Amino acid sequence: TTTTTTTTTVAMRAAATRRAHVRAAAGKTTSTVATSIKNVAVEAFDEHKATVSALALVAASVAMPEMAHASGGEFGLFEGRTAALLHPAGMGALYATTLYAGYLGLQWRRVRTVGDEIAELKATLPADEVAAAASEAGKKIAELTATRKELVAGKFKDKHANMGSLLLAMGVALSVEGGMNTYLRVGKLFPGPHLYAGLTITVLWAMAAALVPMMEKGNDKARSIHIALNCFNLALFTWQIPTGLEIVGKVFQFTSWP
């Protein structure tokens, strides 16, 4: 009986030991799996944290719409009267520049047309040099030659090119600035005659400038189109002035210095 009891006790202890080992192994396995899952999750977050950040920004914009729109004072001086008047003041200067550039262009065109007139008159001169000089055509040629020398001395070609470059650069910059300033001040744009005319004028500046390479190669059709585009541009610019003055009045009404 004693031997049987001892054997039973040993067997029970061995079974308990085996169960303890099994539980320990299971615990280690569970811990290893949990650690692996954690590592995978961390790696996945690191790989996609840019996406998570973007989604967070979108969620913040939706939750706080007032922070996602312009205007409201957060832009400081850019919403004040000084910045608002930069566009009309600059455009006023560009209007005067447009008139001056047109004058310079016509003077440069006169240099070419005077040369053509001289060439045509020379074809009508008599063969005798003395008679040619005394003829009406000869006198006209001498007069036109003096005029052409004066025009060439004025360097109208270079001046016209410089004014054209200034119009294109500053015109595009001020056109964009005007729209941006309106958005910063009131949080939206106002589609209407002034905006549409301004966009058209900006496009016309670019189109006229694009014709210059062909004009320099002597393409008369390109020159005629260039002149036509700029004439239409000037007419549209002039028509736009009243609507611009109305906007300036609203600037003084709804803004304050500076």
Side-chain angles (χ1 to χ4, degrees):
T1 303
T2 303
T3 303
T4 303
T5 302
T6 302
T7 302
T8 302
T9 301
V10 171
M12 292 176 64
R13 288 178 179 176
T17 301
R18 286 195 297 271
R19 286 196 297 269
H21 286 307
V22 171
R23 285 196 297 269
K28 290 181 179 179
T29 302
T30 302
S31 177
T32 302
V33 171
T35 302
S36 299
I37 293 174
K38 180 181 177 180
N39 292 337
V40 170
V42 171
E43 293 177 1
F45 177 77
D46 289 339
E47 292 178 359
H48 299 88
K49 60 184 178 181
T51 303
V52 172
S53 299
L55 291 174
L57 289 175
V58 172
S61 298
V62 173
M64 296 180 292
E66 69 279 0
M67 296 298 291
H69 292 81
S71 81
E74 64 267 29
F75 295 102
L77 291 176
F78 292 103
E79 295 183 39
R81 185 174 295 172
T82 302
L85 293 178
L86 177 62
H87 178 79
M91 283 300 179
L94 287 183
Y95 182 76
T97 304
T98 299
L99 295 174
Y100 183 54
Y103 164 76
L104 294 174
L106 291 176
Q107 293 300 101
W108 169 237
R109 182 178 177 81
R110 180 64 178 153
V111 172
R112 296 196 312 275
T113 57
V114 166
D116 294 338
E117 291 178 27
I118 292 174
E120 292 175 0
L121 288 171
K122 284 183 177 180
T124 64
L125 290 175
D128 183 71
E129 293 184 1
V130 177
S135 66
E136 289 297 326
K139 295 178 181 179
K140 185 65 174 178
I141 289 173
E143 180 182 341
L144 290 175
T145 301
T147 300
R148 190 173 188 278
K149 287 182 179 180
E150 293 178 2
L151 291 172
V152 171
K155 298 181 179 180
F156 293 110
K157 179 182 180 181
D158 293 338
K159 292 179 180 178
H160 180 67
N162 292 337
M163 289 299 102
S165 298
L166 177 64
L167 274 176
L168 181 62
M170 295 305 299
V172 172
L174 284 173
S175 295
V176 174
E177 181 273 336
M180 289 180 61
N181 179 262
T182 299
Y183 183 77
L184 290 177
R185 285 188 294 108
V186 298
K188 61 180 179 179
L189 297 179
F190 299 93
H194 190 81
L195 179 62
Y196 297 144
L199 293 174
T200 304
I201 289 171
T202 305
V203 172
L204 289 173
W205 277 327
M207 293 175 65
L211 293 169
V212 172
M214 288 184 286
M215 294 165 57
E216 291 180 340
K217 294 179 180 179
N219 191 320
D220 286 330
K221 183 178 292 185
R223 289 169 179 163
S224 298
I225 296 174
H226 177 84
I227 293 172
L229 289 174
N230 282 305
C231 288
F232 179 53
N233 195 326
L234 178 60
L236 195 58
F237 210 154
T238 304
W239 176 85
Q240 193 189 31
I241 292 176
T243 57
L245 293 176
E246 290 179 9
I247 296 173
V248 171
K250 292 180 180 179
V251 167
F252 279 98
Q253 181 181 357
F254 295 107
T255 64
S256 58
W257 298 105

